[in-house]
Amino acid sequence: MSQQGEKPDGHKDDWWGQLYDDSTQDTGPAPGADSLDDRFASAAGTVGGGTAPFGGSLEDESGAGADSGARGSGAVPRPGPVPWEPPSTRPPGPVTFPPGPMPPGFREVAPVDGSPTGPSHDQVPPPDRAPAALPPPPARPPATVPPPGEPPSPATRPPAEAVVPGTVPAVDYVGSGPPTYDAEPTALPLADPERLDDLVPDTVLDGARYGALTLRAASVRGDSARYRGEPRRDCLLTARFGTGDQALVLVAMATGARATPGAHRAAAEVCRWIARAVGRSHVRLAEDIRAARRGDLKSGLHRLTDRSLGRLRASAAEQGVDPEEYTAGLRCLLLPADPACRTRVFFGVGEGGLFRLRGGEWQDIEPRVAEPAGEPVVGFGSLPSETPEGDRLTMDLGITTPVNSDEPSPGLPVPPAGNGPVEPPRDPFRFRASVARPGDTLLLCSSGLADPLRDEPQLARHLTLRWSTGGPPSLDAFLVDTRVRVKGYADDRTAAAVWEA
């Protein structure tokens, strides 16, 4: 009887007796393998794939279980996917990452040993499984190698090495070989404790922009003077007189006599004298430039130059120095700030260079000094002996004359009384007034740069590439350009360049 008081039926309790009868033998171990790995493999295969414990692969490249050799035929095979399961996106076997975009600053390098860039034979999936579809890599142009001896062109350079248009790398020297002297200063000039205002810096750099012009100016001590501890004989002075469109910019450079004491003082003194004279007459000079009165400009600037050099010779007499030693060559530019006026005026005495870079070619426009033939040409030769009206012109001996149309200003300085007449400059006066065009570059320089620019084609070619495109250089870039050295040329260098917009 059961706990509920029911009488048992014999045939209904047979299953209970068969299960728990004492005569029934135990089932014993299962005929198949029953380890932890086997159970995990069976469960993982049922849910459609997985990873074996401890990072092992569920199956090797042959498709059999990882421990099939140890268990033999008792291993549980991995069942295939059921029909209603979506196809797996996991590629079978080991794979590599697809190539992506290159980081900035890197480029693709072709293998040098000829090894293939694709997957090796042990990375190819088994033939019975189709490889999973991988996203295609982004399209990149292959890196091309230029022929030997040819620089890579911008079209074949990788993006990280592309050259910005208008830029050319700077160089230290050009020509047959490196110069003899070191590129950097070696010795400082000797200083006098009682004349510390006589010290001259190794380098002077200046610049400005007015209207359509951009000015860059620099003066650098030569390699020879840097090595020997001598002061820079070249002097550079830049000044603006007036305001607004009526302003006038003066660039003056002078070079003292070679191998003479006090040459740097003579150069600085003549620059100050000419700047003072131009400053006092800047209103009249600016009007003459805008009105294109070249005849008045030439005669007036000739007179100002004579009187400035005359004061320099008078100063030499006061110091008891030979005037032939206490002298300097003087070269100047007058640049009106009015954007509507593109006339650029050069005048001076002494050696140097006046160049113009136009259309990618250098033009030497230094006024040539020669015997005048026929009528005088503006910018060449000296003043005519008489006016068209027949009036004879006398030599300027420093005597104050009344103000007339040829006199730029009534306040011109005169040599101090008691020193006698002042001789005219030994070197001929040079003058040129030219009209600039957009894109021109006008270069005024001392002999230290003019001589190698005329004699060394590589220097002219280098400056052409540096200055033809890309606009005016920065101050430091202009200084680097003026310092490009040439073997055999070690003098001071002074240059002023004007870029026209």
Side-chain angles (χ1 to χ4, degrees):
M1 180 179 293
S2 66
Q3 295 179 357
Q4 287 79 14
E6 298 177 352
K7 294 180 180 182
D9 294 334
H11 67 281
K12 294 182 178 179
D13 295 335
D14 289 343
W15 67 273
W16 182 269
Q18 293 176 5
L19 182 61
Y20 292 100
D21 188 9
D22 294 338
S23 62
T24 304
Q25 298 180 356
D26 189 37
T27 58
D34 192 23
S35 65
L36 177 60
D37 293 345
D38 297 327
R39 294 188 180 186
F40 183 87
S42 177
T46 303
V47 297
T51 305
F54 312 109
S57 176
L58 288 179
E59 61 181 44
D60 57 13
E61 299 176 17
S62 63
D67 53 351
S68 59
R71 296 194 301 269
S73 61
V76 180
R78 174 179 176 179
V82 293
W84 58 81
E85 287 183 350
S88 176
T89 59
R90 173 188 173 89
V95 295
T96 58
F97 290 102
M102 300 297 292
F106 292 83
R107 61 175 178 175
E108 183 179 358
V109 180
V112 296
D113 56 353
S115 60
T117 57
S120 60
H121 63 86
D122 58 349
Q123 294 175 330
V124 180
D128 58 343
R129 292 182 180 272
L134 299 177
R140 293 180 71 246
T144 59
V145 180
E150 294 185 8
S153 62
T156 59
R157 292 179 190 263
E161 298 180 359
V163 177
V164 179
T167 60
V168 178
V171 297
D172 177 63
Y173 65 89
V174 294
S176 59
T180 305
Y181 297 101
D182 189 57
E184 300 301 329
T186 302
L188 290 172
L190 182 64
D192 184 355
E194 303 300 330
R195 304 186 63 175
L196 295 181
D197 56 346
D198 199 32
L199 296 178
V200 180
D202 177 89
T203 303
V204 175
L205 186 63
D206 205 352
R209 183 175 60 191
Y210 290 98
L213 67 88
T214 300
L215 172 66
R216 297 288 182 263
S219 183
V220 183
R221 189 163 55 136
D223 292 344
S224 176
R226 284 178 166 182
Y227 177 78
R228 303 176 187 277
E230 298 174 354
R232 176 168 48 89
R233 294 184 295 114
D234 280 7
C235 179
L236 174 66
L237 184 148
T238 55
R240 172 180 62 89
F241 303 105
T243 59
D245 293 345
Q246 308 301 319
L248 186 64
V249 177
L250 168 69
V251 180
M253 59 184 68
T255 303
R258 186 186 301 273
T260 57
H264 59 289
R265 289 193 295 269
E269 188 173 346
V270 72
C271 283
R272 287 193 297 267
W273 282 121
I274 194 65
R276 183 176 302 178
V278 170
R280 291 175 176 175
S281 308
H282 76 276
V283 175
R284 175 64 184 274
L285 290 172
E287 292 176 356
D288 289 344
I289 293 176
R290 286 193 296 268
R293 303 188 187 103
R294 299 193 178 192
D296 293 345
L297 282 171
K298 181 179 178 181
S299 60
L301 293 174
H302 192 177
R303 187 172 292 108
L304 292 180
T305 304
D306 284 355
R307 292 181 176 178
S308 298
L309 294 174
R311 277 187 168 273
L312 188 62
R313 285 187 290 270
S315 177
E318 292 178 354
Q319 301 177 36
V321 181
D322 185 0
E324 294 296 331
E325 296 182 357
Y326 198 79
T327 185
L330 177 64
R331 307 175 67 80
C332 303
L333 271 180
L334 290 180
L335 308 172
D338 187 357
C341 180
R342 288 185 177 269
T343 302
R344 312 300 181 228
V345 178
F346 158 75
F347 68 96
V349 172
E351 300 298 327
L354 180 66
F355 305 92
R356 180 171 56 201
L357 180 59
R358 173 176 290 177
E361 295 182 357
W362 283 106
Q363 302 172 359
D364 191 348
I365 59 175
E366 173 77 10
R368 305 303 179 189
V369 178
E371 291 296 330
E375 294 294 329
V377 180
V378 175
F380 296 86
S382 58
L383 290 174
S385 58
E386 62 182 16
T387 64
E389 293 77 15
D391 297 333
R392 301 286 297 178
L393 297 180
T394 59
M395 182 178 299
D396 184 3
L397 300 179
I399 304 174
T400 305
T401 57
V403 178
N404 52 43
S405 59
D406 293 333
E407 187 72 33
S409 172
L412 291 177
V414 295
N419 291 329
V422 178
E423 297 180 0
R426 303 293 179 87
D427 294 328
F429 178 74
R430 302 171 189 262
F431 174 88
R432 177 179 289 275
S434 59
V435 179
R437 300 178 185 176
D440 285 356
T441 300
L442 184 66
L443 175 64
L444 175 67
C445 55
S446 62
S447 298
L449 181 59
D451 292 344
L453 190 58
R454 292 188 177 104
D455 300 339
E456 180 53 61
Q458 292 187 22
L459 178 60
R461 188 180 306 112
H462 176 74
L463 293 182
T464 301
L465 296 176
R466 293 275 291 180
W467 293 354
S468 291
T469 58
S474 60
L475 289 177
D476 54 345
F478 180 75
L479 178 61
V480 171
D481 294 338
T482 57
R483 288 186 56 190
V484 176
R485 304 185 298 155
V486 179
K487 189 174 184 179
Y489 299 90
D491 286 342
D492 299 345
R493 288 188 179 185
T494 302
V498 180
W499 277 262
E500 302 289 344

